[in-house]
Amino acid sequence: MSPIGRHGSPARDAGPAAASPVVLRLALPAVLLAALLAAAGSAACAGSGAAVAERAARLRVEVQRGLPHDPRAFTQGLVLVNGELYESVGRYGRSAVRRLDRETGEVLAETALPPELFGEGLAAVGERLIQLTWREGVAIVYDRRTLAEEGRLRYDGEGWGLCDDGRRLYQSDGSANLTVRHRESFAELERLAVTLDGRPLDRLNELECAEGWIYANVFGSDQIVRIDPLSGRVAAVIDASGLLTPRQRRAADVLNGIAFDPASGRFLVTGKLWPRMFEVEFVE
């Protein structure tokens, strides 16, 4: 966003040299006052314009089609790689990483986590998958083809969402900050503060890096936000309400799960214990 600048003209005395000193002394304060008022008005306009420019766009999902989804899956992460769909499911004793048939929802391959680990966000990094855990401070690395565990990475704090933009990893922990990590070592590089209309936005959950943006579910809501990875500013708020019928909603949990399909330019979205997954576009 380019800042709106301010400008003004200096007040100059255009009166004759022989003008009365009294007149000049009276006129000069009046000119200065007018200049100050003009500058203040210009600043107010600039501030107002900046506030409007910084306000996030409001979008909605437009459903292209619905797809089957396992209603027992407590979805924590979703990622699509070369047409193959992977899902992280949570809960102690039920957590796993899966490869799914996108069209039918069938589980094609699955690796269960130990019962003491609660699966969370999932990212594809080259030929590997990295799956976070909730409070255990462990990220599990898998071979993407076989879903065999290859190793573990340590981190501090909670793990919620994870995505890879091809250069760096972004991790959420439910706060208004994203942790930026090295793709190989998983070392913390910096923190990115996320703001919506100038205020911190917390409860950032599942993440998807796509087309130069970071998309995040806002936990406990039907909103997805589009985040600028350079500034942390939310550029758009996407309303994803109304995807499930009232009857489906009663048995389901929250919206959680975003995967971008570069082949179609559309997104797959679902939720915890949702019986459906949806192929959508984000529109005005």
Side-chain angles (χ1 to χ4, degrees):
M1 179 197 69
S2 299
I4 300 175
R6 295 183 296 171
H7 64 276
S9 302
R12 289 186 294 179
D13 178 17
S20 166
V22 174
V23 173
L24 284 176
R25 283 196 295 270
L26 292 174
L28 188 57
V31 171
L32 287 174
L33 179 60
L36 289 171
L37 288 173
S42 178
C45 290
S48 174
V52 170
E54 290 179 358
R55 179 173 167 78
R58 266 54 182 181
L59 307 178
R60 61 180 176 85
V61 297
E62 183 175 82
V63 177
Q64 303 303 311
R65 60 176 181 150
L67 298 163
H69 182 254
D70 181 0
R72 299 165 298 178
F74 202 72
T75 305
Q76 301 290 68
L78 202 65
V79 63
L80 189 66
V81 186
N82 299 328
E84 294 186 321
L85 184 62
Y86 299 88
E87 181 180 42
S88 170
V89 296
R91 289 185 163 172
Y92 290 110
R94 300 183 183 179
S95 293
V97 62
R98 299 169 161 181
R99 182 166 58 249
L100 305 177
D101 184 310
R102 169 179 177 171
E103 299 299 320
T104 66
E106 179 187 356
V107 178
L108 302 176
E110 180 178 65
T111 296
L113 274 67
E116 67 273 13
L117 298 180
F118 190 118
E120 282 282 350
L122 184 69
V125 183
E127 295 303 310
R128 303 178 300 155
L129 294 174
I130 301 178
Q131 181 185 32
L132 299 178
T133 56
W134 182 23
R135 292 176 171 171
E136 290 72 47
V138 174
I140 304 174
V141 182
Y142 303 91
D143 179 285
R144 185 167 60 83
R145 302 294 181 185
T146 65
L147 299 187
E149 182 178 331
E150 290 189 339
R152 298 189 178 190
L153 303 165
R154 304 292 305 187
Y155 58 91
D156 295 327
E158 294 188 1
W160 287 38
L162 188 69
C163 74
D164 174 37
D165 72 354
R167 298 181 306 111
R168 305 191 293 181
L169 294 169
Y170 296 86
Q171 177 189 339
S172 65
D173 60 7
S175 72
N177 296 306
L178 298 179
T179 301
V180 185
R181 296 191 177 278
H182 192 278
R183 296 176 79 229
E184 298 299 326
S185 68
F186 214 61
E188 180 177 332
L189 302 176
E190 60 179 307
R191 296 286 180 97
L192 180 67
V194 177
T195 59
L196 171 60
D197 297 339
R199 297 183 177 182
L201 177 66
D202 61 5
R203 297 181 296 140
L204 300 171
N205 199 4
E206 217 271 295
L207 304 178
E208 175 74 357
C209 294
E211 299 185 306
W213 301 100
I214 303 168
Y215 291 85
N217 284 122
V218 181
F219 179 71
S221 79
D222 288 320
Q223 291 183 339
I224 297 169
V225 292
R226 177 192 289 163
I227 304 166
D228 183 334
L230 297 179
S231 66
R233 189 178 75 84
V234 171
V237 178
I238 302 148
D239 180 3
S241 62
L243 291 174
L244 298 179
T245 67
R247 183 176 181 178
Q248 290 171 333
R249 192 78 191 186
R250 284 195 294 271
D253 207 300
V254 297
L255 176 77
N256 203 44
I258 322 167
F260 178 65
D261 183 1
S264 65
R266 295 171 178 170
F267 290 82
L268 297 176
V269 297
T270 190
K272 303 177 184 184
L273 310 179
W274 281 31
R276 304 288 286 170
M277 181 168 60
F278 299 91
E279 186 176 304
V280 303
E281 294 181 357
F282 301 151
V283 300
E284 295 183 352

